Amino acid sequence: MEKEFYELLIAQNFEEAAELVAKESPEDIAHILNELANENEGLLIPFCCAMESELLADALILLDKTVQEKILGGLHDDELEAVMDEVSLDDTVDIIEEMPEALVRRIAELDDIMQLLKERNYAVLKPLLASMNAIDLAEVFEETESDTELLILFRILPKDLAAETFVEMDADVTKRLINKLSDRELRAVMDELFLDDTVDLIEEMPASVVKRVLAQSDSETRACINELLKYPKDSAGSIMTIEFVSLRPTMTVDDAFERIRRTAIDKETIYTCYVIDPTNTLLGLVTAKDLMLAPKTALIEEIMNDNVIYAHTEDDKEEVARTISDYGFLALPVVDREMRLVGIVTVDDAMTVLQEENTEDIAKMAAITPTDRPYLKTGVFTLWKTRVLWLLILMLGSTFTSLILNTYEARLLPCLVACVPMIMGTGGNSGSQASVTVIRAISLGEVESRDVGKVIWKELRASLMLGLTLAAVCFVKLIFLDGMLLGIEGYTPIVCLIVCLALLCAVVAAKLVGAILPILAKLLHLDPAVVANPFITTIVDAVSVLLLCGLSILL
């Protein structure tokens, strides 16, 4: 077998070689891998890639650290993940000890980190955490149930990384951590935070925690925080930061670089610098690229861009975020009514705003009162409270449909009554399609209130085409399938015509209602998402039943 095996390897037929050793014991496979690592290292990784993940995992734990490092370091990420999924948690922890940091970072998963913490294996844990991203670290903190372990994790992080992780944590985890930190530690964290992150933190915390946070801030920071908290919650001023690089137009490029070097450590972004006069009036901007390409003696006023797109402090934060997204900015300057530069909104804050707004719209479109808490951390009573009001409103609205049916039921044929769910469902779906399309177009700025005529004309034509298609298919279905094949009585041509006309009218009416209501809501300064699917479906259900009853009596 050994001769055949090496012949297959030399011929680079790794799949057949892997099949040949598949029946061997893990000990024998480990012996083969050791030999390859020592004598034919170039064949080791291709052979391991061809092996079944489970077989390689069983042999891997029997190898020494040097061979393990060679194999794991040579596997691609997906191959490495597949192999480590087959290795037990305890064996994984044993494997990553004394491994290079880069390889440990690729191997270690959340369960492994929690096991290292449980075992107090700080020698491996500390460099591993230090090499991780703040967002990934925040996930580790959120999985830590013990407040003591939470504090230990935070204390073994480097100072700057600890502050970055602090910002990314869930509000509940942040609150737990603040309660465990000493005043000195809390002050050190607050000193590392950018001002807008501190404001966001304060807005989410209870009063007792806010009082302690403010107590650990210096008087200048407290004054800035109080100033930012004065802005309306949905305004650009509430999400801006005052930590930006400002330059004077009379500075040279050399002077600008010197100022950036001196102040950059405290600024949230240094790629874009803003040019202001002594009264802080915004004159223009220069980018790091502009500065690097310009002569050292060039004046800032000679190279700056004076055609600046900016926002006012009172502007809606969603519009500001969309401006940053549309133009691809890294930051957008914010000015007051006197055109004085008071802050900037950075792209990360803009993306957070857009995500929050999209989440809120989705909740409203599903007839749910929006909430900031994650689903799994939301209590049952809170879920009841966010859903019950709209369900009551929609239920009471649906009684109009029942009232119409009760009024006309005696005059309707049984086969017509049987078609009511189909007409209501099709009408509701049609209205939902139109409303979602128009609401999305409004949120992206593609449709304004003045475009209502264009929207109606477009949806009218589309609804007629869709309605005629659905009506034709429905007519054939009622006549041939229900009437002839299934033998259901009552589906005469005139009855089928009534159903199909009602279906056509329901689709047209639903499309128009679904398109007009969001625009009407915007005109009334309401959120268009409020009049989305459930609300429109309730209206369309009543209209559909009324159309069917009216047409049946008329014809």
Side-chain angles (χ1 to χ4, degrees):
M1 191 277 289
E2 186 174 344
K3 180 180 179 181
E4 183 182 358
F5 170 73
Y6 281 101
E7 287 177 353
L8 289 171
L9 286 183
I10 293 171
Q12 297 191 356
N13 195 342
F14 300 110
E15 286 75 13
E16 288 191 21
E19 290 178 6
L20 189 62
V21 300
K23 297 179 181 179
E24 301 295 322
S25 66
E27 290 77 9
D28 291 336
I29 296 176
H31 176 71
I32 292 171
L33 294 177
N34 271 322
E35 286 188 350
L36 288 176
N38 295 327
E39 299 175 9
N40 296 281
E41 191 173 332
L43 302 176
L44 176 65
I45 301 304
F47 173 64
C48 289
C49 292
M51 290 180 62
E52 291 287 338
S53 300
E54 186 175 356
L55 288 176
L56 181 56
D58 291 340
L60 186 70
I61 60 177
L62 302 175
L63 301 171
D64 58 47
K65 291 287 184 180
T66 305
V67 182
Q68 286 178 346
E69 182 180 337
K70 288 179 181 179
I71 294 174
L72 295 176
L75 296 177
H76 294 299
D77 288 342
D78 54 344
E79 296 166 339
L80 179 62
E81 183 179 358
V83 172
M84 296 311 299
D85 284 345
E86 302 293 336
V87 179
S88 69
L89 189 60
D90 291 336
D91 287 333
T92 302
V93 172
D94 290 339
I95 288 173
I96 62 179
E97 287 189 278
E98 300 178 13
M99 285 280 182
E101 284 185 21
L103 187 54
V104 172
R105 191 164 58 246
R106 291 181 64 204
I107 296 173
E109 296 181 347
L110 184 57
D111 290 342
D112 307 322
I113 294 172
M114 302 312 296
Q115 181 70 15
L116 288 169
L117 179 61
K118 183 179 179 181
E119 296 177 356
R120 301 290 193 268
N121 195 337
Y122 303 126
V124 177
L125 193 60
K126 186 173 182 178
L128 171 59
L129 295 179
S131 66
M132 292 177 65
N133 183 279
I135 295 176
D136 296 328
L137 281 172
E139 184 180 352
V140 175
F141 277 83
E142 288 168 15
E143 291 295 322
T144 306
E145 297 180 358
S146 167
D147 289 350
T148 302
E149 291 181 345
L150 191 70
L151 184 61
I152 292 172
L153 276 178
F154 193 78
R155 283 175 172 168
I156 64 177
L157 290 178
K159 184 179 177 182
D160 54 346
L161 183 58
E164 292 178 26
T165 307
F166 194 82
V167 174
E168 301 296 338
M169 289 181 199
D170 181 77
D172 290 339
V173 180
T174 306
K175 180 182 173 182
R176 288 169 51 202
L177 184 58
I178 289 176
N179 289 333
K180 296 293 290 185
L181 291 174
S182 65
D183 288 345
R184 182 180 60 81
E185 290 172 323
L186 182 57
R187 189 181 303 112
V189 172
M190 302 312 297
D191 289 342
E192 292 293 321
L193 295 183
F194 291 114
L195 196 59
D196 59 329
D197 292 327
T198 306
V199 172
D200 291 340
L201 174 69
I202 288 174
E203 288 179 333
E204 295 179 350
M205 292 292 110
S208 59
V209 177
V210 171
K211 184 177 179 180
R212 187 161 176 242
V213 169
L214 290 176
Q216 303 310 316
S217 304
D218 57 53
S219 57
E220 183 181 351
T221 302
R222 281 199 299 273
C224 293
I225 290 172
N226 290 329
E227 187 66 28
L228 290 176
L229 289 174
K230 291 179 182 177
Y231 291 107
K233 185 178 180 181
D234 293 329
S235 67
S238 69
I239 60 169
M240 71 181 183
T241 178
I242 61 172
E243 292 156 328
F244 55 88
V245 177
S246 60
L247 304 174
R248 301 293 188 196
T250 54
M251 285 181 173
T252 64
V253 170
D254 244 358
D255 294 336
F257 275 124
E258 181 58 33
R259 178 171 175 78
I260 292 171
R261 291 188 193 98
R262 191 172 63 251
T263 62
I265 191 170
D266 297 322
K267 307 305 178 186
E268 189 151 345
T269 178
I270 62 171
Y271 180 77
T272 305
C273 305
Y274 300 93
V275 185
I276 57 175
D277 66 11
T279 64
N280 287 338
T281 300
L282 179 62
L283 303 177
L285 61 83
V286 290
T287 65
K289 180 180 179 182
D290 297 331
L291 293 172
M292 286 186 284
L293 295 178
K296 293 182 180 180
T297 56
L299 295 177
I300 295 300
E301 61 184 356
E302 296 173 353
I303 63 172
M304 74 178 186
N305 176 11
D306 56 7
N307 183 22
V308 184
I309 297 174
Y310 55 86
H312 287 95
T313 51
E314 299 85 2
D315 288 350
D316 186 88
K317 65 181 182 181
E318 186 178 359
E319 293 299 324
V320 173
R322 206 163 297 286
T323 300
I324 293 175
S325 176
D326 291 343
Y327 286 92
F329 291 154
L330 293 178
L332 185 72
V334 181
V335 299
D336 60 14
R337 293 177 181 176
E338 286 76 35
M339 284 298 296
R340 292 175 299 194
L341 182 63
V342 292
I344 62 172
V345 177
T346 53
V347 65
D348 57 328
D349 292 324
M351 294 305 102
T352 299
V353 169
L354 292 179
Q355 182 181 3
E356 291 173 351
E357 292 295 333
N358 289 336
T359 302
E360 182 178 324
D361 287 346
I362 291 171
K364 289 179 178 178
M365 290 171 70
I368 299 173
T369 304
T371 176
D372 295 332
R373 294 183 64 81
Y375 173 74
L376 292 178
K377 296 183 179 180
T378 304
V380 175
F381 178 76
T382 304
L383 289 178
W384 171 84
K385 188 170 63 174
T386 58
R387 299 176 184 181
V388 67
L389 177 61
W390 277 108
L391 287 177
L392 286 171
I393 294 172
L394 295 173
M395 181 193 70
L396 294 175
S398 298
T399 58
F400 290 105
T401 305
S402 303
L403 183 62
I404 295 169
L405 275 175
N406 288 333
T407 303
Y408 292 99
E409 186 177 13
R411 305 174 66 180
L412 292 179
L413 294 172
C415 56
L416 285 176
V417 176
C419 292
V420 168
M422 180 268 294
I423 296 175
M424 288 171 56
T426 304
N429 292 335
S430 300
S432 298
Q433 286 181 336
S435 67
V436 169
T437 304
V438 173
I439 289 169
R440 186 60 180 163
I442 290 173
S443 68
L444 293 175
E446 299 171 354
V447 171
E448 301 292 338
S449 301
R450 63 177 179 271
D451 298 321
V452 62
K454 297 178 182 177
V455 172
I456 291 174
W457 177 233
K458 183 181 287 291
E459 289 296 332
L460 179 62
R461 288 177 292 166
S463 63
L464 284 171
M465 294 171 62
L466 290 165
L468 288 171
T469 303
L470 294 170
V473 174
C474 181
F475 188 86
V476 173
K477 185 255 185 189
L478 292 176
I479 288 288
F480 292 101
L481 180 60
D482 294 2
M484 293 185 178
L485 293 179
L486 299 179
I488 301 175
E489 295 182 0
Y491 284 120
T492 61
I494 186 65
V495 170
C496 295
L497 180 62
I498 291 171
V499 173
C500 293
L501 282 175
L503 181 63
L504 170 61
C505 294
V507 170
V508 173
K511 291 286 186 187
L512 293 179
V513 170
I516 293 172
L517 276 183
I519 298 177
L520 181 62
K522 185 174 175 63
L523 280 171
L524 297 174
H525 303 290
L526 299 173
D527 191 336
V530 172
V531 295
N533 296 0
F535 191 67
I536 289 174
T537 300
T538 303
I539 296 175
V540 170
D541 285 350
V543 172
S544 301
V545 174
L546 192 60
L547 285 169
L548 177 63
C549 295
L551 286 170
S552 64
I553 294 172
L554 180 65
L555 298 179

